[in-house]
Amino acid sequence: MKKYIPLHVHTSKGSIGDALLKLEEYVEKAKEYGLPAISLTDHGTLTSMFGFKKLCLSNQVKTIIGCEVYQAHDRLVKNKDMNDRFHLVLLAKNDVGLKNLLSIVNNAYSEGFYYKPRTDMSYMKEHAEGIICLSACVGGEIPQAILNLKSDEEIIQLIQTYKSTFDDFFLEIQPGQFEEQLRVNAELLRFAKLTNTPL
């Protein structure tokens, strides 16, 4: 049986208000359970990346560096009436991907910041090499399209856009037992089959 690898993980230091997990405890548990690799995907930031890498190295656990970015339709538009910010998980799969992930996160702060550090598809397309993308939680663009009852055609088009942008794209199901998550999971299973997209 394959070992579980957590790919969407927030910590108390990097995702304040959204996580209780401490880096040290996370890495220690990963070693205890014999996990082959673990990721770090704090909201909008890579500030814990070096501490995470150092802890993992000292515990012989492979690291996957990532970030749950805030995606806007246009990162340069800063209008309080716009509510188009979605979640998206990006994971660096190699050194090129890490360099591109750093560029995306840095630009989200330097050019896209508006309440949160924001990126957009046009910038990510230019920096997508070496990046694995996950559709994220119910705050992601595809889950939101499902919850807002968009047509199958619209959702399939979104999926195809992500697939054509990133090296690898996965529809992300989560274990939450609340109504919205259960609806999203069921629909993602259906769209995975319709579009031949891995989960």
Side-chain angles (χ1 to χ4, degrees):
M1 182 174 147
K2 288 184 180 179
K3 294 275 188 179
Y4 170 74
I5 298 175
L7 296 176
H8 185 162
V9 178
H10 303 309
T11 63
S12 58
K13 187 176 180 183
S15 295
I16 297 169
D18 195 48
L20 297 172
L21 183 64
K22 291 186 172 85
L23 270 180
E24 295 80 8
E25 294 171 356
Y26 177 37
V27 175
E28 286 169 11
K29 279 293 178 189
K31 184 177 182 180
E32 179 186 332
Y33 292 156
L35 301 185
I38 58 176
S39 74
L40 179 64
T41 56
D42 280 325
H43 281 292
T45 184
L46 293 167
T47 54
S48 296
M49 177 178 78
F50 295 108
F52 175 61
K53 184 79 172 174
K54 185 178 179 182
L55 280 168
C56 286
L57 280 171
S58 64
N59 284 280
Q60 295 86 48
V61 178
K62 182 180 177 182
T63 58
I64 302 169
I65 303 297
C67 184
E68 185 167 12
V69 298
Y70 297 103
Q71 177 190 356
H73 289 300
D74 186 340
R75 74 191 190 286
L76 303 177
V77 173
K78 298 173 182 182
N79 183 337
K80 67 178 181 179
D81 296 327
M82 294 186 68
N83 188 19
D84 70 342
R85 193 173 64 220
F86 302 105
H87 294 202
L88 190 68
V89 176
L90 304 179
L91 304 169
K93 71 178 192 178
N94 52 37
D95 288 342
V96 173
L98 182 57
K99 182 179 177 183
N100 280 325
L101 182 61
L102 285 163
S103 293
I104 290 167
V105 173
N106 286 338
N107 182 268
Y109 276 95
S110 64
E111 290 188 9
F113 196 92
Y114 188 65
Y115 292 94
K116 301 278 186 183
R118 304 170 312 141
T119 189
D120 58 27
M121 191 57 82
S122 68
Y123 193 84
M124 289 188 288
K125 277 183 180 179
E126 296 172 11
H127 301 85
E129 184 182 353
I131 289 182
I132 299 166
C133 179
L134 314 179
S135 62
C137 58
V138 294
E141 187 175 24
I142 293 168
Q144 281 297 301
I146 290 168
L147 292 172
N148 290 315
L149 305 176
K150 299 288 186 183
S151 69
D152 281 10
E153 292 76 19
E154 290 173 285
I155 294 168
I156 288 168
Q157 182 57 52
L158 279 175
I159 292 169
Q160 298 303 345
T161 298
Y162 285 106
K163 286 176 77 170
S164 66
T165 299
F166 296 97
D167 282 8
D168 301 284
F169 176 70
F170 295 85
L171 293 169
E172 180 180 345
I173 55 174
Q174 294 195 346
Q177 294 299 304
F178 54 98
E179 182 185 346
E180 291 87 353
Q181 187 67 65
L182 295 172
R183 279 174 54 203
V184 166
N185 285 351
E187 286 296 283
L188 289 177
L189 290 169
R190 186 170 71 85
F191 282 111
K193 291 175 185 171
L194 280 175
T195 62
N196 194 31
T197 304
L199 292 164

